[in-house]
Amino acid sequence: MPVPVRKAIFPVGGLGTRFLPATKSMPKEMLPVVDKPLIQYAVEEAREAGIEQFIFVTGRGKTAIEDHFDHAFELQSMLASRNREEALSVVKSTIPDPGQIAYTRQLDPLGLGHAVWCARNFVGMEPVAVLLADDLILSEKGCLKQMIEAYNEVGGNMVAVMDVPDEDVSSYGVIAPGDVKDRLIEVRGIVEKPPLADAPSNLAVVGRYIIQPKVFEDLGRFERGAGGEIQLTDSLSRQLGLQPFNGYRFAGRRFDCGSKIGFLEANIAYALDRDDMRDDVSQILTTFS
Ligand code: G1P
């Protein structure tokens, strides 16, 4: 069996300019879908997958994330004194065990690959998951759990993939698919944000990865790729042939919460998914046409 995945990296240094002014003084990862911040969905998905250590790569103006995963003493004592047990347990449920979360800063915005590389000393010589909170995935079994179950059979590097329409291909990392076995698709090539004419397929990378320590070595060469940035997909591409590399076509619906429409769609879908809101939301939706 491959070395188990126990740690996860959450790159949360991005500026979130697409959501200004909402993100002027609030990290975009704290934007709520219904009543929970995006970053908490990602952390819960990782926890469900068996992750024990959470590494956040943050930046300036992101302290609200650290506060979110800490005690809120005044709030907790007020809720306790008023016997608000339910609210209290919601507040406490966000708090990890001591030492389970580590924070480091990406000092310069040099790309996703660079953000992941910034976490290298917290990871050491073992595989690690990477979760992009912008990519929210509604599914019965969490996307990362699905991937880790498959990873435990095949090892190596792995990326979540989904089909996207032609007009969206150039916004993603795109794989050249090889052999297919159930949800696993052998990766024969991977390219970051190709023009449609150069795209090897319509299978786009979604923000869930399992990467091996060798990838960090490559990231540390600081080679620039698409957009002049250090790209995670490029380092993964340079590992082709050296270790197994698979795409995982996950079960579930993914929302691009880095875009306004995707974020709005996610709010509707997650509200419709909740027993306490479904009827009211469906009713409200019928009033629009
Ligand atoms: C990043 C990755 C890209 C991936 C995408 C998924 O791009 O670089 O390969 O397909 O996330 O959301 P970004 O959206 O940060 O530009």
Side-chain angles (χ1 to χ4, degrees), residues 8 18 27 46 51 73 115 170 181 286:
R18 277 192 271 179
I51 298 299
F73 282 109
S170 61
K181 191 173 166 241
T286 64

Side-chain angles (χ1 to χ4, degrees), residues 112 132 135 171-173 192-193 204-207 209 231 233 254:
L112 176 61
L132 308 185
D135 283 326
S171 305
Y172 293 93
E192 181 68 18
K193 302 196 173 69
V205 176
V206 169
Y209 309 76
Q231 299 289 355
T233 35
R254 172 261 190 181

